[in-house]
Amino acid sequence: MRFFERHPYWSFIILILVAIFLWLIFAPWSDGVENILGRKKVFLNALFNGITLGALYFFVASGFTLIFGLMRNVNLAHGSLYLLGGYIGYEVATATEWWLLSFVVAFIVVGAFGVVLQYVVFRRMEGDDLKQTLVTIGISICLADIMLWIWGGDFYQILAPEWLSGPVELPLITAVKSSGDAVYLKYPVVRLFILVAAIVVGALMWIALNRTRIGMLVRAGVDDRDMLSATGVRIQLVFVLVFAVGAGLAGLAGVVGGTFQSLAPGEDTRFLLASLVVVIVGGMGSIPGAALGAVIIGLAEQFGSVYFPTYAVVLTFLIMVLVLAFRPQGLVASRR
Amino acid sequence: MAVTEHPNGLETRTGGFAQWFDLSRIPAAYWAIGAILLIMPAFAGDFVLFQIFGWAFILGTIALSLTFLGGYGGMVSLAQMSIAGVAAYMTAILGTSGISNISLGWPWWLYLPVAILVAVAFGTIIGALAVRTEGIYTIMITLAIATAFFYFCRQNYVIFNGFSGFNQVLPPQLFGVDWRDPIPFYYLALFWAVAAYLLVLYVSRSPFGLALQGVRDNPRRMAALGFNVNMHRVAAYAFASVIAAVGGILLVWLNSGISPGAISVGPAIDILVIAVVGGLRHPIGPFIGAIIYVLLRTFALDALVSVGLAGERFQLLIGVGFLVIVFWSPDGVLGLWARWRERARNRDPLTGQPREDA
C-alpha cells in the first residue's frame, strides 16, 4: 500500500492499464478492436497459455530460487533435475497409469537426488560460487548424456488422466455469433489444474518460510549459520531438507512440463535458462518474485509468439535487460 | 580462481620495452614448442593440420578471451562464443556466402573490420550489462544473453537465415593463396593464436591490465584510489571481444559456414570447459585446454567404440573429465603442472623423498 502513497501517478496509470486489461478479457470485442488485436480467442488463449506456462516456470524457478536464495548454492544442474523428473514421471505414469502418483515419485526421487548432490558437492564447497557453478555445469553435462543414453533423443509426452483431459468452457466470451449467441472460451482442464496447483504450492511455500518455525530456522540459518548452530539447531539437517524440497520441485515441474509440453534432450537447458531469467527478473531468493517473474516471462513468451513470432525471444530478453538496467536486484528484491 | 603469482615470474615485471626483445628471457621449452609448431606441416597430414590444430587454435583463441576476462578480470562470461558468433555471422552476411540473397558481397578489407567492430560493440553491451552484477550473477546473465542470441538467430530468417544459417563462407584469395588449404589455414590460425596470446600477455602487464587485476582483487580499494572500476571491467569486455571476434572469423572459415548450432548453449559451455580445464592463470591455458578438447572430441569415438560403448558418449567423457579437473585442480592442467613442479622442487635430490623442512 505504501507504493500507492509514494507514487500516486504511477499507481493511477497502473490502475488504468489493469482496467483496460480486465475489459479486454471480459467484454466481447467490437470489430474495431479485433482489427487491431486480432481475434479475441487468440488473445485469450495466449493469455491463458502464458499464465499456465508461468505456472510451470514457477515450479522450476521456485526450486532454483529456494536453493540459491536461502543457501547461496548455485545449482546449474537444476534443468537436468527438471528433465530427470519428467522422465521418471513418464516411466511411472506409463507403468501404473496413475498420473498423480508420478508427481509423488518424481518429487521423492529427484528430491533424494538433490540431497545426494547437496551432500557430495555443495557441502564440500560452501561459499565458493564459481566452483559450485563449474561442478554443477559438469554434472549437468554428464546427466544430459546419461539421460540421452537411457531415453534416447525421442519426444515423450505424459498423458493426463481421463478426468483431466478435454476442454472446459470458461465464462469468458470469445465472440458473438450473428444470431446473438455468445461463444465461450474452451480451455484444457489439465492446464487450469496445474495453475491451481502452482498457486497452492506457492502459497504453501510462502507460509512455510514466513509463518512457521522451520521457515524461521531456515531464514535465521541463512543470516548467521554459526550462531544458529550454537543455539543447538541441527542446521545441516534443515538445509538438506530445503535442498530436497527445491530439487523435488524441479522434478515435479518435469512431470508438469511432460504433461502439457513434451520431454526431449535440450529441454534441460531450456528450463535452466527459463528459471535463470525468471529469477533475474523476479529477484533472487524470493518466492513472490519467482511467481511474478514466471508470470511475466510466460506471458511475454506467449504474447510474443502470437503477435510477433520472430522476435518473441527478444521480448523476453528485452524484459530481462530492462529489469537489469533499472532494478539489478530484480522486481521483488529478497529480504537481504 | 584469482591467482596473482605466476610460476615463471614473468608476470611480476612490468617495466622496459626493451625486455620484449630480450629473447634470452624466453624459456627453452617455448622455443622448442614454437619450432615444432612452425615445422609441423613438414610431417603432419592435412587432417591433423586442419581439423585438429586449426580447430584447436581457433577454440583456444575464443577461450583465451574468456581466460582474459576470468583470469585477469575475475569475470566469468559465458557469452564469448556468442561474440565470436556475431563476428562469424557478420563475415557471412557482409561478405560472400552460398545464401546470395542475404550476403552483401563486400570486399574483405571492408567486411572484416566491420565484423570485428560489430562483435566488439555487441561484446561491450554485454559487458555493460554484466558488470552491473557480480560472481554467479554474471555467469547467469551472460548465459541468458548467449541463449537469447542463439534463439534469435535460429528464428530470424531475414538477417540470420534461421535454422540453416550460412554456408560456403570462404576466406578471400589473398596473395594468390587459397587460405582454406590445410597448410595456409594452419599458419593463418597459428599466426592469430600467437598474436592473441602475445597481445593478452602484453595487455596483462600494461597499466590497464594491472589496474584490471587490482579491480579483480579489491574493487573497493581500486575505486578509492580513483580508478573507475566499472569502466575497467567494460573495457576488459571490449578487449576480450576483439579476440573472440578474430576467433569467430577464423571459425566461420574453418567450417566454411555458420549456423545457430555453433553458438548454442553447448558450445558456449564448451568454451568455459576449455578455459577452465586448461587453466585460467596464464594465457597458454586455453590452448592446452583446446588441444585436449579437440583430441577428445576427435578420437573419443574410436576409443569409446573399442571399449564397447557408443561413440556419442564422448560428451559424458568430457563431462567426467571436467568434473575431475574442477574437483581436484581448480587451476586446470596448468595448476596440475605447477603443483607437480612444486612437489619436484621440494624433493630431496639424493633420496627422492619429500623434504622434512618443505
Side-chain angles (χ1 to χ4, degrees):
Chain A
M1 285 305 107
R2 231 184 307 153
F3 183 80
F4 291 98
E5 288 163 23
R6 221 184 278 164
H7 309 281
Y9 297 110
W10 274 112
S11 33
F12 185 64
I13 292 172
I14 289 173
L15 275 181
I16 288 183
L17 285 178
V18 168
I20 292 176
F21 200 63
L22 288 177
W23 179 82
L24 279 176
I25 293 172
F26 288 106
W29 287 11
S30 64
D31 288 345
V33 182
E34 294 216 340
N35 281 341
I36 303 168
L37 287 174
R39 294 174 57 206
K40 189 182 177 190
K41 190 181 163 202
V42 176
F43 173 83
L44 280 183
N45 263 321
L47 178 73
F48 275 83
N49 283 343
I51 292 174
T52 46
L53 184 65
L56 173 55
Y57 284 167
F58 173 74
F59 274 126
V60 200
S62 61
F64 186 78
T65 205
L66 194 69
I67 291 172
F68 181 81
L70 295 179
M71 301 191 287
R72 299 279 127 187
N73 281 343
V74 185
N75 183 15
L76 290 192
H78 200 74
S80 311
L81 298 183
Y82 164 88
L83 192 57
L84 183 66
Y87 281 135
I88 289 170
Y90 172 80
E91 293 296 339
V92 173
T94 45
T96 63
E97 299 197 340
W98 205 5
W99 188 60
L100 286 178
L101 182 71
S102 62
F103 281 90
V104 179
V105 176
F107 187 87
I108 291 173
V109 173
V110 179
F113 189 80
V115 170
V116 174
L117 211 60
Q118 206 269 344
Y119 211 81
V120 177
V121 176
F122 290 106
R123 193 170 292 188
R124 289 176 183 216
M125 35 195 79
E126 205 66 67
D128 193 346
D129 275 0
L130 189 60
K131 203 167 173 186
Q132 289 176 359
T133 312
L134 296 175
V135 169
T136 48
I137 283 179
I139 290 173
S140 65
I141 293 174
C142 295
L143 275 182
D145 205 53
I146 291 172
M147 285 191 281
L148 183 67
W149 197 351
I150 300 176
W151 283 283
D154 299 335
F155 284 84
Y156 289 90
Q157 175 131 34
I158 302 171
L159 291 178
E162 284 288 310
W163 54 276
L164 276 178
S165 59
V168 67
E169 209 162 73
L170 294 176
L172 295 171
I173 299 169
T174 55
V176 182
K177 281 185 201 160
S178 51
S179 60
D181 295 341
V183 182
Y184 291 99
L185 179 74
K186 287 201 174 79
Y187 201 76
V189 193
V190 62
R191 283 187 164 234
L192 294 177
F193 178 82
I194 296 295
L195 175 63
V196 173
I199 294 171
V200 170
V201 167
L204 282 180
M205 271 167 74
W206 192 85
I207 290 170
L209 279 176
N210 291 289
R211 295 283 182 272
T212 63
R213 189 179 138 75
I214 190 134
M216 186 186 73
L217 289 181
V218 170
R219 283 179 291 139
V222 170
D223 289 340
D224 196 334
R225 177 176 304 197
D226 294 339
M227 189 56 83
L228 191 67
S229 56
T231 59
V233 176
R234 295 175 66 189
I235 186 68
Q236 282 300 347
L237 201 67
V238 177
F239 277 10
V240 164
L241 201 72
V242 174
F243 211 104
V245 172
L249 278 170
L252 209 72
V255 185
V256 174
T259 305
F260 64 68
Q261 294 185 343
S262 57
L263 301 164
E267 291 292 290
D268 47 350
T269 41
R270 204 192 123 208
F271 276 88
L272 171 66
L273 282 149
S275 42
L276 283 182
V277 174
V278 163
V279 296
I280 288 170
V281 168
M284 288 278 181
S286 141
I287 298 296
L292 181 67
V295 171
I296 289 176
I297 296 302
L299 283 175
E301 232 170 73
Q302 290 299 321
F303 276 109
S305 62
V306 168
Y307 289 105
F308 26 96
T310 316
Y311 302 100
V313 182
V314 183
L315 184 64
T316 318
F317 173 64
L318 206 68
I319 290 172
M320 193 184 82
V321 169
L322 283 178
V323 168
L324 273 178
F326 294 104
R327 269 184 81 86
Q329 72 275 37
L331 292 177
V332 183
S334 60
R335 284 176 302 275
R336 270 156 287 115
Chain B
M1 209 75 19
V3 178
T4 43
E5 59 187 86
H6 289 271
N8 54 12
L10 283 173
E11 297 296 312
T12 49
R13 317 247 176 97
T14 52
F17 191 67
Q19 76 179 32
W20 281 88
F21 298 102
D22 186 4
L23 296 179
S24 64
R25 289 186 66 249
I26 300 174
Y30 280 51
W31 284 109
I33 294 171
I36 291 172
L37 287 177
L38 273 180
I39 60 165
M40 181 80 79
F43 52 83
D46 284 355
F47 177 78
V48 172
L49 286 181
F50 192 71
Q51 282 298 336
I52 294 192
F53 279 93
W55 194 22
F57 289 144
I58 292 166
L59 285 181
T61 308
I62 299 172
L64 176 65
S65 73
L66 173 58
T67 301
F68 177 77
L69 282 178
Y72 298 105
M75 305 169 283
V76 177
S77 156
L78 279 172
Q80 296 313 108
M81 195 66 200
S82 311
I83 296 167
V86 169
Y89 266 114
M90 281 301 134
T91 309
I93 293 167
L94 302 175
T96 50
S97 78
I99 315 297
S100 52
N101 56 339
I102 295 179
S103 291
L104 299 172
W106 290 4
W108 66 270
W109 48 266
L110 192 58
Y111 73 70
L112 288 183
V114 173
I116 291 179
L117 274 179
V118 173
V120 169
F122 183 71
T124 312
I125 294 171
I126 291 179
L129 278 173
V131 298
R132 300 179 63 88
T133 57
E134 278 197 346
I136 175 62
Y137 295 93
T138 310
I139 297 177
M140 293 184 187
I141 280 156
T142 48
L143 184 60
I145 292 173
T147 328
F149 182 64
F150 157 67
Y151 282 118
F152 178 64
C153 288
R154 207 178 61 176
Q155 288 179 359
N156 183 306
Y157 279 84
V158 183
I159 310 170
F160 293 100
N161 201 32
F163 187 78
S164 46
F166 295 85
N167 55 13
Q168 294 174 41
V169 185
L170 299 173
Q173 304 268 340
L174 221 56
F175 313 121
V177 179
D178 182 3
W179 288 100
R180 208 169 170 274
D181 266 354
I183 293 177
F185 191 84
Y186 170 81
Y187 282 116
L188 186 71
L190 176 65
F191 172 78
W192 284 110
V194 171
Y197 168 80
L198 291 177
L199 189 66
V200 167
L201 218 51
Y202 175 73
V203 168
S204 68
R205 296 173 206 174
S206 69
F208 166 69
L210 292 174
L212 188 66
Q213 292 169 54
V215 165
R216 171 196 68 194
D217 293 335
N218 196 336
R220 290 187 59 181
R221 180 181 289 182
M222 291 305 278
L225 286 171
F227 287 91
N228 188 334
V229 168
N230 271 358
M231 278 318 288
H232 274 80
R233 288 178 170 158
V234 175
Y237 269 94
F239 174 69
S241 306
V242 178
I243 296 172
V246 170
I249 291 172
L250 291 172
L251 188 66
V252 72
W253 287 342
L254 176 84
N255 297 331
S256 79
I258 178 85
S259 65
I263 55 164
S264 65
V265 183
I269 286 177
D270 285 344
I271 294 296
L272 177 72
V273 171
I274 288 170
V276 170
V277 164
L280 287 177
R281 62 201 288 172
H282 191 275
I284 199 69
F287 294 104
I288 297 175
I291 282 280
I292 296 173
Y293 175 85
V294 168
L295 288 177
L296 260 183
R297 182 100 200 216
T298 313
F299 295 112
L301 190 114
D302 301 328
L304 285 172
V305 169
S306 68
V307 294
L309 283 168
E312 304 104 58
R313 294 286 84 79
F314 84 94
Q315 203 68 34
L316 192 60
L317 207 65
I318 287 178
V320 170
F322 179 65
L323 271 181
V324 168
I325 290 274
V326 173
F327 252 106
W328 305 119
S329 173
D331 286 327
V333 176
L334 279 181
L336 284 179
W337 169 247
R339 217 182 304 166
W340 181 77
R341 289 224 328 210
E342 190 70 21
R343 207 171 294 160
R345 201 177 300 148
N346 287 333
R347 218 167 267 272
D348 194 288
L350 289 177
T351 59
Q353 299 298 315
R355 281 179 183 156
E356 294 297 321
D357 55 339

